[in-house]
Amino acid sequence: MDNWKCRLLLGLAFIFLSARTGDAYDPVDPNGNLTIKWDIISWTPDGYVAVVRLVNYQQYRHIESPGWTLGWTWAKKEVIWSMVGAQATEQGDCSRYTGNIPHCCKKDPSIVDLLAGVPYNQQVTNCCRGGVIASRGQDPARALAAFQVSVGSAGTTNTTVRLPKNFTLKIPGPGYTCGPAKKVQPSQFLSADGRRHTQALMTWNVTCIYSQFVAQRTPSCCVSFSSFYNDTIVPCPVCSCGCQDNINQLGNCVEKDSPYLKNVRAITPAHNNAPLVQCTSHMCPIRIHWHVKTNYKEYWRVKITITNFNYRMNYTDWNIVAQHPNFNNLSQIFSFNYKSLNPYESLNDTALFWGIKFYNDMLMHAGSMGNVQSELLLKKDKETFSFKQGWAFPRRVYFNGDDCVLPPPDAYPTLPNDSPLKKGRCFGLMIIIMVLATTSQLLFL
């Protein structure tokens, strides 16, 4: 236990260096991805009809409004004759056609989901949710989207069909990187009565991986700490998500009592989801506060408060993921849903929390209603439990899939008898590690 904080600093240094590389690998959800499944279900005189599904295999990362935009480049001169459950954003140049005009003639179409409430003859199963796809951990039934497309000027057999290339998935901005289309075993479908299986004529998959570094160069959330045993409130680090003198990369910043907020157009959500944040020292749209509230004989209690500083965004179906070694003895959760994420069988230290439907599943925009909160009751493990050296605080925190900025370990609330000399030694160790890592990177350039 004496060296626990030093080990934490080593881990944080590793996390920092890994984030600098922009690696899309997620240790909390190592198998998470979004897979595009393209199933040809019938042939037509000049092409085929396919059902395209976007299947979200990510445990805690979802796609929220205004939703996904799927794009690709045709291999030849294919066109889209018609679509059900989605639509192309542009028709393109179809002047070479007379009579029946295709739905889209662009070489690189962009496809979006239809909104809820469209006529039934324009719907297919799992379509028409405005591009919103839930995470698999929160709502598996809504963790996919689908549409049907009729393709012309294409191959009409398994050997003549050419797979599209250069797939892109925007949400609405960047973040996902998609690999090439690969032929796989044909998908099978179960009839409504459950007595017959049918099979696609041909299937290919495209795997898309999310990278926070690709999505945005600046973080979108931060974490602050407090405890009953120390009067100090540890705020989010200054400029966690940007600085007030350099706000162009984040969006706009307004004071909470500014008359500008009375302008309806100012707080209307932007098409690219650009935030309008309240001016703070951290400049983050989201702050998560972890408060060590109470100590009992066999249990201890934590209060989590999520505050929205974004005036343009109501976060629907929000979630947070936190890592703490005592989550293996999480006894009770108040007013949040909970699921244990256990990517590694030997560890049970990661928890997914989200709001209760029709109660607090929507985190309202910045203001008096812009927060949700809950309390956790955890049972103590006598061999590991301690309030010393920041043990009671989380190792990592995510909001809606994005890694949040934590305070530096030497700033964590401490017990009155904690020695500042130990903190100094460990912090110095972290600086040495960072310098050595930077030097080693330069040697390989």
Side-chain angles (χ1 to χ4, degrees):
M1 288 297 295
D2 292 340
N3 295 324
W4 177 87
K5 199 166 186 179
C6 293
R7 292 197 299 270
L8 174 62
L9 285 166
L10 286 168
L12 289 173
F14 172 77
I15 292 168
F16 173 81
L17 293 170
S18 298
R20 300 268 303 204
T21 67
D23 190 0
Y25 175 75
D26 186 353
V28 178
D29 190 12
N31 300 314
N33 68 75
L34 194 146
T35 298
I36 302 163
K37 299 184 72 70
W38 193 298
D39 296 309
I40 296 178
I41 57 175
S42 65
W43 302 111
T44 62
D46 72 334
Y48 59 85
V49 176
V51 172
V52 181
R53 290 175 290 161
L54 288 75
V55 186
N56 189 5
Y57 292 107
Q58 299 171 112
Q59 290 295 320
Y60 60 87
R61 185 172 289 111
H62 61 271
I63 297 178
E64 53 193 333
S65 181
W68 53 265
T69 300
L70 178 65
W72 62 81
T73 301
W74 291 117
K76 298 191 292 186
K77 296 183 179 180
E78 293 90 341
V79 296
I80 298 175
W81 280 113
S82 62
M83 300 190 73
V84 183
Q87 63 183 358
T89 57
E90 296 182 50
Q91 184 182 34
D93 182 8
C94 296
S95 59
R96 62 190 173 102
Y97 289 89
T98 59
N100 291 334
I101 305 298
H103 175 79
C104 178
C105 299
K106 285 182 67 67
K107 179 77 172 177
D108 54 347
S110 294
I111 310 301
V112 295
D113 195 11
L114 297 181
L115 300 176
V118 298
Y120 288 113
N121 63 351
Q122 298 179 28
Q123 297 185 28
V124 295
T125 305
N126 296 314
C127 85
C128 313
R129 298 177 181 142
V132 174
I133 302 179
S135 66
R136 186 156 294 268
Q138 284 180 259
D139 191 350
R142 295 177 62 248
L144 75 161
F147 60 87
Q148 182 176 298
V149 57
S150 177
V151 181
S153 298
T156 56
T157 66
N158 286 26
T159 56
T160 58
V161 167
R162 295 292 178 265
L163 279 59
K165 53 188 178 181
N166 301 331
F167 278 84
T168 60
L169 179 64
K170 299 180 180 179
I171 52 169
Y176 282 92
T177 301
C178 299
K182 295 182 179 180
K183 292 182 181 180
V184 296
Q185 289 293 322
S187 301
Q188 292 192 343
F189 308 98
L190 185 64
S191 62
D193 60 7
R195 302 174 63 187
R196 172 178 165 79
H197 283 88
T198 58
Q199 182 173 296
L201 303 174
M202 184 178 179
T203 298
W204 59 78
N205 285 355
V206 178
T207 301
C208 301
I209 303 294
Y210 181 85
S211 169
Q212 184 175 345
F213 184 81
V214 173
Q216 53 195 11
R217 294 303 178 93
T218 56
S220 59
C221 55
C222 64
V223 183
S224 57
F225 294 146
S226 62
S227 66
F228 71 90
Y229 54 78
N230 192 312
D231 293 336
T232 302
I233 298 177
V234 180
C236 289
V238 175
C239 295
S240 294
C241 302
C243 298
Q244 291 189 35
D245 59 350
N246 187 22
I247 61 175
N248 291 329
Q249 58 182 318
L250 178 70
N252 294 319
C253 160
V254 295
E255 300 294 340
K256 60 182 180 180
D257 55 354
S258 171
Y260 181 70
L261 296 174
K262 297 179 181 179
N263 184 348
V264 176
R265 294 183 61 183
I267 59 176
T268 301
H271 177 69
N272 61 354
N273 273 0
L276 176 67
V277 298
Q278 185 182 123
C279 292
T280 59
S281 61
H282 54 77
M283 288 294 289
C284 291
I286 295 293
R287 182 190 67 196
I288 299 167
H289 185 73
W290 179 286
H291 175 64
V292 180
K293 185 176 180 180
T294 313
N295 183 31
Y296 305 107
K297 182 178 180 180
E298 296 184 355
Y299 296 87
W300 61 294
R301 186 184 291 257
V302 169
K303 181 177 182 180
I304 298 175
T305 304
I306 309 170
T307 304
N308 187 2
F309 291 94
N310 186 356
Y311 289 101
R312 287 179 177 161
M313 175 70 79
N314 296 327
Y315 292 91
T316 305
D317 293 329
W318 59 267
N319 68 57
I320 64 170
V321 172
Q323 282 187 318
H324 193 282
N326 211 163
F327 280 156
N328 60 348
N329 280 322
L330 183 53
S331 300
Q332 192 170 1
I333 303 95
F334 303 89
S335 68
F336 280 179
N337 287 311
Y338 158 77
K339 179 180 179 180
S340 174
L341 298 182
N342 190 11
Y344 312 102
E345 294 183 1
S346 60
L347 293 175
N348 183 18
D349 64 349
T350 307
L352 169 65
F353 303 101
W354 69 97
I356 297 173
K357 200 70 174 175
F358 306 120
Y359 175 60
N360 59 359
D361 61 324
M362 178 180 288
L363 175 57
M364 299 296 291
H365 61 78
S368 58
M369 302 294 291
N371 69 86
V372 292
Q373 54 190 1
S374 179
E375 295 191 5
L376 316 177
L377 187 65
L378 302 103
K379 188 174 183 178
K380 295 178 181 179
D381 184 337
K382 294 181 180 179
E383 294 183 0
T384 60
F385 176 80
S386 175
F387 284 131
K388 294 181 179 179
Q389 301 175 333
W391 185 91
F393 297 99
R395 311 310 186 247
R396 298 185 81 168
V397 178
Y398 298 77
F399 178 81
N400 278 0
D402 285 342
D403 203 353
C404 300
V405 179
L406 274 68
D410 64 322
Y412 285 22
T414 59
L415 291 171
N417 60 353
D418 261 10
S419 170
L421 295 177
K422 291 182 179 179
K423 292 194 296 181
R425 292 194 193 104
C426 291
F427 188 72
L429 176 61
M430 184 179 72
I431 297 299
I432 294 171
I433 293 168
M434 302 292 282
V435 171
L436 290 174
T438 303
T439 305
S440 64
Q441 288 179 348
L442 291 174
L443 291 175
F444 286 100
L445 292 178

